[in-house]
Amino acid sequence: MYLYSLTLQPGTGIHKAIFGNFSASKAQEIAVSKGKTLEIYRSNENTGALEVVYSQEVFGIIRSLCTFRMTGANRDMIVIGSDSGRIVFLQLDPVTNNLEQVHLETFGKSGCRRIVPGQYVASDPKGRAVMISAIEKQKFVYILNRDSTSKLTISSPLEAHKGRTIVFDICGIDVGFENPQFACLEVDYGDPELPDSAVVTGQGQKLLTFYEMDLGLNHVIRKIAMPTDNSANILIPVPGGSDGPGGVLLCCENIIRYFNFPSTELSCTYPRRADMSLERGLMINCYSTHKQKDLFFFLIHTELGDLYKVSLKYNKDQVESLSVQYFDTIFPCVSICILKTGFLFAAAEYGNHALYQFQNIGENDEFAISSSDSMETVLFMPRKLTNIAFLYDTESLCAITDMKIQDLAEEGNPQIYALCGRGPRSALRVLRHGLGVTEMAYSNLPGKPNGVWSLKSGHKEGEVSYDKYIVISFLNATLVLGIGEKVTEVTDSGFDVSGGTIHAGLLANNCYLQILQYGMRVIASKYQVDPWEAPGKISRATSNEKQVAFTLQGGILVYFELDSSGKLKEAGKREMEQEVICISISNIPEGRTRARFLALGCFDNTIKILSLDPEGCLSRLSTQALPGSQPESVCLLEMGHSEETKDLYLHVGLSNGVMLRTVIDSITGQLSDTRARFLGNKPARLFKGFVAGGQALVSLSSRPWIAYNYMSRFYITPLSYETLEYAASFSSEMCPEGFLGISGNTLRIFTIEKLGELFNQSIVPLRYTPRKMEIYPINKNLIIIESDHNAFPVTEREELKEAVKQFSEFRELTDAQISTPSAGIGRWAACIRILDPRSLETTEIFELTDNETAVSLCVANFTGYESEMFLVLGTVKDMNLHPRNFTAAYISVFRIINNKLELFHKTQAEDIPLAISPFYGKILIGVGKFLRIYELGKKKILKKCENKTTFPNLISNIKVDGERIFVTDISESVSVLTWSKEDNQIYCFADDVISRFLTNFIVLDHDTVAAVDKFENMMVLRLPDACEEDERDINTVKFKWEAGFLNSAYYKLEHIAHFYIGDLATSIQKSALSEGGAEALVYGTTMGAIGTFLPITQKDDVEFFVHLEMYMRQEARSLVGRDHMSFRSFYAPIKNVIDGDLCEQYSKLDYQTQRRLAEQLEHSPNEILKRLEDFRNKIF
Amino acid sequence: MSERWNAQVQLEHLQQKYAGAGNADTTKWEWGCTIRRDSLASHIGHHSRMLYMAIAENESTSRMKHNMLWKMVQPCGPPPPKK
């Protein structure tokens, strides 16, 4: 078995974001690490909106990021600490927007290890040195210099190691041009042999340590170490030298301190939320520094989502006071970035990220300020956004906890139901394959149109022109709409509105062209119309700026060209001898006088390409036969990622809903490399459009689709929009890249945003963190269990809000906006929700009381109650996580009547029922270490059978296939058991040789399971063949099974496939993602990624991809210097899985390399690209 | 003799260089500490795993990291009393 791994939607959660000027000195850019992916966002100069300019999977794990600016340089580099055991310096090329490695220095082993640096990086603000540190012991300092050609040179690493020391944070201190200094937060755990060391006493002391890089001696010294608060977790460098007093801010719980070597020390408490418990410390998550010529301040961000502004009052080098001022409240973030143009980017820990705009920097805002002059705690409650204003957010699935793929809404294609997020910001997100569409306008039309065109106001040199007219054709009339402030009908356009229009266009001489059945009209203005009468009835027509072609009924093709005097002249005529169904001319390539090709779709199921060159005009260059289907529409379009790689494509929409895409050789007109795509069950009509500055193709079938190039990849995606019959591009000042669409007798104007995304989301906010869900089979409703540790149930939360009612303003804000305070360890809030997936309405919320939390659920029917489906729920009272204990555990059975829950009965269990599964009229429950079968009784569930050999820790999941029961222990992988009816016993006969901490698994077939674990792996395990034979007669083998093998089960699961995903997958499912698509394993991860494993069924595909992957490992080098093979084998060797994400990097290689690899693989580059595309298309 | 001494020196060098490299006298407690510290460091290094654990405890990832770093100081309790 071979699997092809493909990430459908890369993770959207952000791990760290840093602000910098990467491409130019004034460029406002943010580098974002999404764990495995590095992205660069650039702020739009006019709107501030962040645009992705670079995105690259690094095939490694980015653990830390910092900016680095060489002395005297005007832009930043990015320094990355990763799992590669190497430090990498990257620079953004301002022209190509590509990141280039400036330096890649190896210092240690790969992997996220304790003593190998990479967890922290910090740079000297003056750009002379960089420190990279491990969690324990090792720290390296690199000195950076310029050589005579002003290239960056890097020294060999200087050690600043300190054994038995845990590092909490590091930062580079601004000391002007004195020796570079770095501050570290450390705890020395000491020698276990010494009685007073921290590892013996358990009483560690956090130290603020300064390391000085002596540039003269080329040596790092540990200058000073002073004890500080044990809760300190973040170091913030304060601008120094000529910009400020220097020194460092130290964020501790509840208090911020300022230190400047040798002696200055100030501290200030944070303003505190009034509803926070006093025992709970307030921790800072992240910070951002704003620095301009005469001013600097810091924004620090707490775990509750509050922003505080920290400012220093100082006189030369002497800091006089420190103040912390409440700024505003957003959601909890992992990183915040202040842009110099007045924007704030907030990278959420869970859920959507957002961009805010500064309204004020907190001047004259006395809402809640504390200062180092008084140690009094200032209390407040959050208020509405005052100093910043919300601009927009970007959707993120971050932290998918469970996922189901099924067509519950009965739309034909399955939807993905993903439970996402944490606490009050959690949500159920319904994903549908397709791009989201923003409708700008909608208007009814007097009839059913049969065509729509948009016409620009005219060609002007060096100016962007927008559309002036919309021409809509009906059966026997034409409607012309003028585009101004409003879209209204115009009567003085000069167009003939008395009949239906076949084609409309704009010519290079700024005249409009209208083709009707009787002839052609060239319109300079209302009074200056040049008509031309056709010798027959015109059936089809096409044009570009200088060329016009149309066909007459009966198959006569007439071709006109605009001559040098600006007049249309007949340039050719040809008898096609059959009816022409569709016609298309390409746009004029830049620098040419005419387009060279004309495509005709003919009645005999062929596409003919004709030459438009003056010599041999209208001669046939090539023909494409269309097997078994008539062409409906053709479209010649030049598409590609950049000017150099552009190709002319022939697109053919067939009457059976398939679209063909073929490359036309720009010289000979020969056709090659045809790719087919099924769009829907209606004839496919094709129209031109514009997306992301390039040509795009709108294809309309039973669903509208769009094909475009974005971020050097070709996308063909359905639009999440109604069925359209006709379309055209549309451009106005308000929406430069929009579309016109005709649906029934309505005209719509819409735009497409979120380019490159595969799914479009509908969001239902939830009350607590969702844990698991089930589908209620009778009415296909979703049942979701939500629970939060360390949180208040809604009723208590209301009481708490009431207690601080003197702060009135916050009552208008929801918990999702302001976050909830923590209630204390061992406090739980939980509920069960029933939700209709069609209307997305909640029909029932059943709040659990008495500090009970729901841990498992299943829907089952029982012997004796065949007509009903029950909900079985496992709950635990007063659960503690570390160590795991509780006061009571229950199994409750509910009836579901009219979408409401009705408790049937509740049975106490002696351990945590973490897994429940239906089992042929009974239920299987994992109660702690025991696997049991229960039946439904009148007052209780009744224990019928228990597994003899217990599980090592806690049963976490149960799945049933036939007689076989697959059970996972929380840390001991899968065991396979069977239930013998005769002696009512459960026998375990197979288990795994490796203890895996599985998060989820599925049974693929009777012998095989696929599983994902907490260490970011995916694996496929299979039972040995001998099991089947044994199972036929359990009575004879049961003694053998019971005896086991080496103290565990008799048989061992075989390891079929293994892959390191790099993100922790929480759910895995076998499903097709589209109607008619191939079945694949689909997983969702905590970073919000959705990926698939597609089985490769053909032997030659396996061979091809194995080789391609091998070459790609050499050519597509990881940006952080991680070896691909060792990354994918992080914990166990990769086995039988092809990394499709790596293979798809092929399209990003330069053409020379593509050619070279293709030769080695004995294919052409196009064949390779086609195969890669084919595999992607298997899914959708 | 000198060869054996060499091996000894090499071993000591390795132990010096790599924290947690064991020897014949490594106790169960020392070994446990090494394993726990290595695991904690690995959890901190993988952000997607931190998110998973942070959901379970309903804490922020920065607090989870901070708690785990502290746990590395004394991961397995105090050393057992010497016999």
Side-chain angles (χ1 to χ4, degrees), chain B residues 46-63:
Chain B
H46 291 88
H47 186 68
S48 70
R49 206 181 302 158
M50 287 304 296
L51 288 174
Y52 184 80
M53 296 179 180
I55 290 175
E57 299 207 10
N58 199 15
E59 294 282 7
S60 68
T61 45
S62 56
R63 189 178 283 271

Side-chain angles (χ1 to χ4, degrees), chain A residues 61 114 137 199 206 230 253 280-281 285 303 349-350 422 789-790 882 1014 1016 1060 1064 1086 1131, chain B residues 16-17 37-38 42 46 48-49 51 54 57-63 66 69-70 73-74 82:
Chain A
I61 290 167
R114 174 156 62 118
K137 188 178 171 184
V199 69
K206 205 168 268 180
N230 274 347
E253 272 184 7
R280 173 91 175 173
N285 263 3
E303 33 176 10
E349 195 160 30
Y350 299 95
R422 194 195 87 191
H789 176 235
N790 203 352
H882 302 298
K1014 284 178 196 168
E1016 301 102 12
Y1060 180 74
L1064 192 153
T1086 53
Y1131 291 103
Chain B
Q16 186 71 34
K17 195 171 169 189
R37 284 196 187 116
D38 286 347
S42 166
H46 291 88
S48 70
R49 206 181 302 158
L51 288 174
E57 299 207 10
N58 199 15
E59 294 282 7
S60 68
T61 45
S62 56
R63 189 178 283 271
H66 191 252
L69 286 166
W70 266 114
V73 170
Q74 196 189 39
K82 288 212 178 80

Side-chain angles (χ1 to χ4, degrees), chain A residues 160-463:
Chain A
H161 299 347
K162 174 104 179 30
R164 298 186 175 122
T165 301
I166 310 284
V167 179
F168 284 70
D169 198 17
I170 68 172
C171 81
I173 297 180
D174 197 345
V175 287
F177 286 98
E178 287 171 33
N179 279 334
Q181 276 188 22
F182 294 92
C184 298
L185 273 177
E186 300 175 340
V187 172
D188 188 340
Y189 63 75
D191 187 348
E193 303 292 323
L194 301 175
D196 53 353
S197 59
V199 69
V200 178
T201 59
Q203 306 291 317
Q205 175 60 52
K206 205 168 268 180
L207 302 169
L208 174 63
T209 338
F210 289 85
Y211 288 87
E212 183 173 324
M213 168 72 240
D214 194 322
L215 289 171
L217 292 171
N218 208 22
H219 181 68
V220 186
I221 45 170
R222 196 168 192 254
K223 202 172 176 191
I224 190 169
M226 38 192 172
T228 184
D229 304 57
N230 274 347
S231 63
N233 69 329
I234 290 178
L235 287 166
I236 308 175
V238 177
S242 55
D243 302 327
V248 62
L249 284 168
L250 186 61
C251 301
C252 315
E253 272 184 7
N254 304 331
I255 197 162
I256 186 163
R257 296 184 190 280
Y258 171 78
F259 281 103
N260 198 0
F261 190 71
S263 61
T264 320
E265 191 179 332
L266 283 171
S267 55
C268 177
T269 52
Y270 309 130
R272 199 179 166 85
R273 282 203 194 179
D275 63 352
M276 243 183 107
S277 105
L278 287 172
E279 295 101 69
R280 173 91 175 173
L282 181 61
M283 189 178 258
I284 300 300
N285 263 3
C286 52
Y287 73 95
S288 183
T289 308
H290 177 74
K291 197 173 111 183
Q292 60 192 54
K293 268 199 184 113
D294 48 349
L295 163 94
F296 66 84
F297 66 84
F298 311 90
L299 277 187
I300 55 174
H301 183 73
T302 69
E303 33 176 10
L304 290 169
D306 297 325
L307 290 167
Y308 298 125
K309 178 184 162 187
V310 179
S311 36
L312 298 167
K313 206 187 277 174
Y314 64 98
N315 189 0
K316 283 187 184 151
D317 287 352
Q318 202 55 43
V319 176
E320 285 156 0
S321 74
L322 175 68
S323 74
V324 180
Q325 171 190 354
Y326 171 76
F327 202 70
D328 263 328
T329 297
I330 55 171
F331 44 81
C333 293
V334 283
S335 282
I336 52 171
C337 299
I338 303 174
L339 276 66
K340 291 231 163 57
T341 42
F343 296 96
L344 178 76
F345 174 65
E349 195 160 30
Y350 299 95
N352 298 358
H353 314 297
L355 188 72
Y356 295 89
Q357 185 161 27
F358 281 93
Q359 305 293 311
N360 199 326
I361 52 165
E363 278 164 346
N364 308 322
D365 178 8
E366 308 277 318
F367 188 72
I369 303 178
S370 58
S371 137
S372 57
D373 301 332
S374 90
M375 283 312 267
E376 213 173 292
T377 308
V378 179
L379 294 180
F380 74 95
M381 280 308 285
R383 58 177 179 189
K384 281 186 213 149
L385 291 184
T386 310
N387 289 314
I388 52 174
F390 175 80
L391 280 187
Y392 68 88
D393 61 355
T394 50
E395 282 168 351
S396 164
L397 290 172
C398 182
I400 297 176
T401 50
D402 199 4
M403 197 168 81
K404 292 260 184 265
I405 304 163
Q406 206 167 319
D407 183 15
L408 299 180
E410 284 158 8
E411 292 168 351
N413 282 313
Q415 304 93 47
I416 302 179
Y417 295 86
L419 297 177
C420 306
R422 194 195 87 191
R425 254 167 72 84
S426 50
L428 167 78
R429 291 173 190 244
V430 186
L431 309 185
R432 291 178 171 86
H433 181 219
L435 264 182
V437 164
T438 318
E439 194 170 82
M440 312 278 287
Y442 171 101
S443 69
N444 285 315
L445 296 170
K448 212 168 148 50
N450 58 15
V452 63
W453 297 268
S454 60
L455 301 175
K456 288 213 185 312
S457 58
H459 299 284
K460 281 178 216 146
E461 276 298 314
E463 249 183 70

